[in-house]
Amino acid sequence: MRVVGGLSGVAAVWLLACCSASSSATGGIAVRMDDFKLHLTTTTAPPGQVKLRLDNSGPSTHEINVDRTDLAAKDLPIRADGLAVDEKSSLLTRMGSIEVVEAGDKATLTLDLPPGHYVLYCNLEGHYLGEMYANLDVR
């Protein structure tokens, strides 16, 4: 498992252990990943630390991206190649991500989210187009 944002190896493991253990979110939001859907136990959360408990139950590797945006999950901008979300679009603000969640693995991503609308999605080639996304409103 690697965390996007320039961290890898020991630093990424430390970040996940540190931030996951210190989360004040009670229980968090369970996110089941399968081919090709994200199933959230809730689509709303209070502002502050939000813990996403990921469970990849599908037979494929997935990733999770959390972007702040005014767009609905189904309307994210697509790259010119037509295969994935344009993660560099000015319409998206990356709040956090986990680049690799292997089939059968679990992971935790804890983020400090202010009020707003967020989209969770897998952006591996074709996964977003297969509707592997979900809306999350923090209010």
Side-chain angles (χ1 to χ4, degrees), residues 37 69-78 85 92 117-121 128-136:
K37 301 285 183 209
T69 183
D70 291 330
L71 302 172
K74 66 179 182 64
D75 296 327
L76 299 186
I78 302 298
V85 172
L92 306 175
H117 176 72
Y118 300 86
V119 174
L120 287 68
Y121 62 99
Y128 173 81
L129 298 176
E131 300 183 7
M132 194 167 183
Y133 50 73
N135 292 291
L136 176 66

Side-chain angles (χ1 to χ4, degrees), residues 17 44 91 112-113 128:
T44 60
L91 299 172
D112 188 21
L113 300 178
Y128 173 81

Side-chain angles (χ1 to χ4, degrees), residues 67-95:
D67 289 353
R68 185 173 184 164
T69 183
D70 291 330
L71 302 172
K74 66 179 182 64
D75 296 327
L76 299 186
I78 302 298
R79 291 188 321 219
D81 67 9
L83 299 175
V85 172
D86 179 4
E87 295 182 30
K88 295 181 181 183
S89 170
S90 63
L91 299 172
L92 306 175
T93 301
R94 178 62 41 91
M95 303 305 290

Side-chain angles (χ1 to χ4, degrees), residues 4-41:
V4 173
L7 297 177
S8 62
V10 174
V13 171
W14 177 85
L15 177 65
L16 283 173
C18 163
C19 296
S20 296
S22 65
S23 175
S24 65
T26 305
I29 299 172
V31 180
R32 184 169 48 87
M33 310 166 92
D34 58 33
D35 291 347
F36 290 93
K37 301 285 183 209
L38 293 179
H39 307 275
L40 282 63
T41 53

